[in-house]
Amino acid sequence: TTMLQSPVFQRLPASNLQKVMMQMEEVAFEAGEIVVNQGDEADYYYIIKSGDCELIRQASDRARPVKLAELHSCEAFGEDALLSGNPRNVTVKMKGRGQMLRLSKANFISLVKEPVLQYTSFAEGELKVSEGANWLDVRNADAYDEDHIDNSVNIPFFSLRMKISELRHDQLQVLVCSNGRTSEAAAFLLIKFGFNALILKGGMEARNKQLKQSPSSPTPKQTVSPAKKPAQAAQSPSLVPVDKEANRAD
């Protein structure tokens, strides 16, 4: 029942959901115990069955650890690092005793990622945008300024949780990054908040390679135009509260 509250798991085929439930491992933790450590390689996706956790980040070896937020029962974490391939970017520490459900990386990729995430080519993405979708570029501002798709919106992935309310729930988001990996993590986040999202397969690298190989297409130009500011979403009861997920763990 904990998993069924997530929009992500609600999108899974029944056969996949059954397999996920069979592969989920229940683990008990004591108060003060570390669940995941900042800098470690990602190995599991976690759902909190009971208990509360603290999210802690240390900016550098000499910096003091800073508490960013708390996670509570039924909340999940860990997918960002699994999808991006980057190390854990926060430490998750138990406040008291609790229990976790965890799914291995291999099972997460095959049973959750592959059926949930959807991809598109650049040409298909252009068609979707012409029909009302939005190009959402999740690279950092410098990379975006150097080269980007016309009329795209730039919200770097690290700030997407905080700015997710600027996006419209009724608008399809077509995600763009350098090679597609960060877009996968961004799409998973958006789906958790009830959005529909597509991933530009291969990212800007694939798009630019395609344009260079096409004799009828111009070479992509470097642009420095400012990012278009996304429209403020109207208040809707379907919006998931942002503050609860704003500093979710990786």
Side-chain angles (χ1 to χ4, degrees), residues 164-165 167-169 193 195 233-242:
I164 203 166
S165 63
L167 301 174
R168 289 166 40 196
H169 263 83
F193 280 92
F195 288 86
Q235 293 296 322
S236 168
S238 65
L239 283 174
V240 178
V242 175

Side-chain angles (χ1 to χ4, degrees), residues 1-237:
T1 57
T2 300
M3 290 190 299
L4 295 178
Q5 297 181 40
S6 168
V8 173
F9 288 99
Q10 291 172 4
R11 295 190 179 207
L12 290 181
S15 59
N16 283 59
L17 184 58
Q18 184 178 18
K19 291 176 182 178
V20 167
M21 296 178 70
M22 293 175 61
Q23 294 297 327
M24 276 283 189
E25 177 186 5
E26 188 169 326
V27 185
F29 290 90
E30 298 296 326
E33 190 172 356
I34 301 297
V35 182
V36 300
N37 199 49
Q38 180 179 340
D40 285 353
E41 182 180 353
D43 49 3
Y44 288 99
Y45 173 72
Y46 291 88
I47 300 176
I48 304 173
K49 184 176 182 181
S50 64
D52 302 304
C53 302
E54 294 179 334
L55 306 187
I56 302 169
R57 180 170 176 81
Q58 190 171 3
S60 66
D61 292 339
R62 296 184 178 182
R64 295 181 58 185
V66 176
K67 177 181 173 180
L68 300 177
E70 293 186 4
L71 292 177
H72 310 286
S73 179
C74 296
E75 294 190 271
F77 60 91
E79 72 274 6
D80 289 356
L82 292 174
L83 293 169
S84 68
N86 296 324
R88 302 286 192 190
N89 65 3
V90 295
T91 292
V92 180
K93 181 180 179 181
M94 297 298 300
K95 287 189 66 179
R97 298 178 65 182
Q99 291 180 310
M100 298 280 176
L101 297 174
R102 69 182 187 183
L103 187 67
S104 70
K105 179 178 181 178
N107 283 319
F108 175 82
I109 297 300
S110 63
L111 297 177
V112 181
K113 171 195 167 181
E114 292 179 0
V116 168
L117 299 185
Q118 297 182 333
Y119 300 81
T120 184
S121 66
F122 177 65
E124 292 169 341
E126 288 274 67
L127 178 60
K128 293 291 185 182
V129 170
S130 71
E131 296 172 346
N134 176 53
W135 284 116
L136 178 58
D137 195 315
V138 294
R139 297 174 297 160
N140 63 49
D142 290 340
Y144 180 83
D145 287 343
E146 184 178 343
D147 179 28
H148 61 259
I149 298 172
D150 290 342
N151 299 315
S152 59
V153 172
N154 180 221
I155 303 180
F157 178 63
F158 70 84
S159 60
L160 182 57
R161 292 179 181 87
M162 295 177 288
K163 296 186 177 182
I164 203 166
S165 63
E166 297 179 11
L167 301 174
R168 289 166 40 196
H169 263 83
D170 62 349
Q171 185 178 41
L172 173 67
Q173 303 298 322
V174 185
L175 293 159
V176 184
C177 68
S178 296
N179 58 15
R181 295 294 298 273
T182 303
S183 291
E184 290 180 345
F188 201 91
L189 174 65
L190 290 177
I191 291 170
K192 289 185 66 175
F193 280 92
F195 288 86
N196 290 317
L198 292 175
I199 299 161
L200 176 61
K201 190 172 182 63
M204 289 295 289
E205 293 177 4
R207 174 255 190 183
N208 290 343
K209 182 178 180 180
Q210 177 185 347
L211 291 181
K212 288 178 182 178
Q213 291 177 343
S214 175
S216 61
S217 299
T219 301
K221 298 180 181 180
Q222 292 187 346
T223 59
V224 294
S225 58
K228 183 177 69 174
K229 185 177 181 181
Q232 182 69 33
Q235 293 296 322
S236 168

